[in-house]
Amino acid sequence: MEPRDLWVRFETYHDVTYFSPESRAVTDALGCKGGWMGYFGQRAAPLGAASPEVVTAAFYNFHPRMVARALPDAWDVAGPARFLRARLEGVDGALRRMLTSLDVAEAAELAVRAAEAAPTAGRVLAAANRALPLPDEPHLALWQACTTLRESRGDGHVAALVAADLGPCEALVLFSADKALDAAYMRGARGWSEPEWREAEAALADRGLLDGDGGLTPAGRALREDVERRTDEAATRPWEVLGPAGTARFAELTTPIALRLGRLNEAMRTNPMAIDPVAQLPG
């Protein structure tokens, strides 16, 4: 079982944090102006009342002005502690609706063990989430562990992008070219303008990573593969701690959960290796 295959499972569970009706209802009730304010407030809350500059750096591929439309205004709507409670409320409601009849206790135990071993040195979002109290209820403990695992892998991916000298917009352009994704959608989802996107394309072409048609050159494909390899290598520690048997059991237990949540089936039908833990876009 490869780290990216496991990522599909815990990312699926983590995603209910921001993109379920229950989570949106909770942040709307707080007074958030739109879904993105709720997203940034909930995801950044473990960092405290972080500035837009800090959140932009940690989240990596959002345009600074997109973050600045939500922060610091979100902290006037509610403090970080309230956003932390809000995301637990939304997650609790969503998971109780979607996981009826599924026992997640054993999966939670394995995920918590894995999350306790997730690297946090130099990984700010992972460290901030792992420092939070672990909920008593198994479905929420599983969510907390999956969130730590997700942010630890994401932080490691950012490190790989930085080591590859890929700026935020450049990373998105290269990812989009690799996966033949719609550039207009990608720009809109992360707040980049068309001129900024074109500037990133030109910079990548100058490095020999994009060809004249906007596709990956052999060097560009090799760099993408190297970034993914480094991301996987930096995310192996939790699964080494669980061992082959524990990792296989975690995958066995979380596959029906992820299928129930609706994301794994589509991902596995296409190619789980195509999913990028930072460039993955909200549904």
Side-chain angles (χ1 to χ4, degrees):
M1 183 66 63
E2 296 294 327
R4 262 172 280 185
D5 298 328
L6 295 161
W7 173 81
V8 174
R9 290 159 174 82
F10 59 73
E11 173 76 14
T12 301
Y13 203 84
H14 163 78
D15 270 356
V16 301
T17 313
Y18 316 112
F19 309 123
S20 68
E22 290 84 355
S23 292
R24 177 63 186 268
V26 169
T27 56
D28 283 353
L30 281 182
C32 289
K33 300 173 183 177
W36 283 115
M37 180 177 282
Y39 170 85
F40 285 113
Q42 290 183 96
R43 190 176 173 206
L47 301 174
S51 69
E53 292 82 6
V54 169
V55 172
T56 298
F59 290 12
Y60 195 70
N61 61 12
F62 287 93
H63 195 289
R65 63 174 166 261
M66 186 172 179
V67 181
R69 283 198 294 269
L71 299 175
D73 289 353
W75 309 135
D76 293 329
V77 170
R82 181 65 187 95
F83 269 105
L84 288 175
R85 294 197 302 273
R87 71 179 195 173
L88 267 180
E89 292 165 13
V91 165
D92 185 42
L95 293 176
R96 288 184 186 278
R97 170 175 58 86
M98 292 187 284
L99 295 182
T100 55
S101 79
L102 281 181
D103 184 356
V104 302
E106 185 181 356
E109 291 176 3
L110 290 169
V112 168
R113 283 177 54 201
E116 287 173 348
T120 58
R123 306 189 194 210
V124 174
L125 286 169
N129 278 278
R130 197 168 72 185
L132 297 173
L134 189 69
D136 293 329
E137 300 88 339
H139 67 291
L140 294 180
L142 176 58
W143 168 80
Q144 180 69 48
C146 286
T147 297
T148 297
L149 289 166
R150 186 261 178 246
E151 297 293 21
S152 179
R153 183 182 172 93
D155 288 342
H157 186 70
V158 168
L161 293 172
V162 172
D165 195 25
L166 290 170
C169 190
E170 292 172 350
L172 288 174
V173 170
L174 208 64
F175 177 75
S176 300
D178 189 15
K179 307 306 174 188
L181 300 175
D182 180 66
Y185 172 73
M186 293 288 284
R187 288 196 302 270
R190 290 295 181 263
W192 298 93
S193 69
E194 186 169 0
E196 290 164 333
W197 192 268
R198 300 305 173 208
E199 183 179 351
E201 287 182 323
L204 292 169
D206 288 344
R207 290 176 61 181
L209 303 176
L210 288 183
D211 60 29
D213 297 322
L216 293 183
T217 63
R221 191 164 301 282
L223 184 60
R224 274 283 305 150
E225 291 173 355
D226 185 62
V227 166
E228 295 304 322
R229 177 185 60 80
R230 289 173 181 270
T231 301
D232 282 340
E233 289 175 350
T236 59
R237 180 60 181 162
W239 317 113
E240 291 173 346
V241 167
L242 286 189
T247 298
R249 182 60 175 159
F250 174 81
E252 178 186 357
L253 292 167
T254 53
T255 294
I257 295 171
L259 287 169
R260 180 75 65 86
L261 296 178
R263 289 282 301 281
L264 180 63
N265 191 37
E266 180 180 357
M268 296 299 288
R269 188 169 60 247
T270 53
N271 180 6
M273 305 297 281
I275 300 174
D276 184 299
V278 170
Q280 177 70 29
L281 298 172

Coordinates of all heavy atoms in Angstrom, one line a residue, residues 31 70 86 106-107 118 123 134 141 162 177 197 211 240 253:
G31 N -21.7 33.8 11.1 CA -21.7 35.1 10.4 C -20.6 35.2 9.3 O -20.3 36.3 8.9
A70 N -10.6 37.0 3.4 CA -11.2 36.2 4.5 C -10.6 36.6 5.8 O -11.3 36.6 6.9 CB -11.1 34.7 4.2
A86 N -16.6 25.1 15.9 CA -17.5 25.1 14.8 C -17.2 24.0 13.8 O -18.1 23.3 13.3 CB -17.5 26.5 14.0
E106 N -12.1 0.9 15.5 CA -10.8 0.3 15.2 C -10.0 1.2 14.3 O -8.8 1.4 14.4 CB -11.0 -1.1 14.6 CG -9.6 -1.8 14.4 CD -9.7 -3.2 13.8 OE1 -10.9 -3.7 13.6 OE2 -8.7 -3.8 13.6
A107 N -10.7 1.7 13.2 CA -10.0 2.6 12.3 C -9.5 3.8 13.1 O -8.4 4.3 12.8 CB -11.0 3.0 11.2
A118 N 3.2 11.0 12.9 CA 3.3 11.9 11.8 C 4.4 12.9 12.0 O 4.4 13.5 13.1 CB 2.0 12.5 11.4
R123 N 6.7 21.4 10.1 CA 5.4 21.2 9.6 C 4.4 21.9 10.5 O 3.8 21.3 11.4 CB 5.1 19.7 9.4 CG 6.2 19.0 8.6 CD 5.8 17.6 8.2 NE 6.9 16.8 7.7 CZ 6.8 15.9 6.8 NH1 5.7 15.5 6.3 NH2 7.9 15.2 6.5
L134 N -7.7 15.4 21.7 CA -8.4 14.3 20.9 C -9.8 14.1 21.4 O -10.0 13.8 22.6 CB -7.5 13.0 21.0 CG -7.9 11.9 20.1 CD1 -7.5 12.2 18.7 CD2 -7.2 10.6 20.6
A141 N -12.5 11.3 16.8 CA -11.1 10.9 17.0 C -10.4 10.6 15.6 O -9.3 10.9 15.3 CB -10.9 9.8 18.0
V162 N 9.0 23.7 -2.5 CA 10.0 24.7 -2.2 C 11.4 24.3 -2.6 O 12.2 25.0 -3.3 CB 10.0 25.1 -0.7 CG1 11.2 26.1 -0.4 CG2 8.7 25.8 -0.3
A177 N -0.9 21.2 -16.0 CA -0.4 20.7 -17.3 C -0.2 19.2 -17.2 O -0.5 18.5 -18.1 CB 1.0 21.4 -17.6
W197 N -1.0 33.8 -14.2 CA -0.9 32.4 -14.7 C 0.1 32.4 -15.8 O 1.0 31.5 -15.9 CB -2.2 31.9 -15.0 CG -2.3 30.4 -15.2 CD1 -2.2 29.8 -16.4 CD2 -2.6 29.4 -14.3 NE1 -2.4 28.4 -16.3 CE2 -2.6 28.2 -14.9 CE3 -2.8 29.4 -12.9 CZ2 -2.9 27.0 -14.3 CZ3 -3.1 28.2 -12.2 CH2 -3.1 27.0 -12.9
D211 N 6.5 23.0 -22.6 CA 6.8 23.2 -24.1 C 6.0 24.3 -24.6 O 5.3 25.0 -23.9 CB 6.6 21.9 -24.8 CG 5.2 21.4 -24.8 OD1 4.2 22.2 -24.6 OD2 5.0 20.2 -24.9
E240 N 5.1 3.2 8.7 CA 6.2 2.3 9.3 C 5.9 2.0 10.7 O 6.1 0.8 11.1 CB 7.5 3.1 9.2 CG 8.0 3.2 7.7 CD 9.3 4.1 7.7 OE1 9.6 4.8 8.7 OE2 9.9 4.2 6.6
L253 N -10.2 -1.0 6.6 CA -11.3 -0.4 7.4 C -11.7 0.9 6.8 O -12.9 1.2 6.9 CB -10.8 -0.2 8.8 CG -10.6 -1.4 9.7 CD1 -9.8 -1.1 11.0 CD2 -11.9 -2.1 10.0

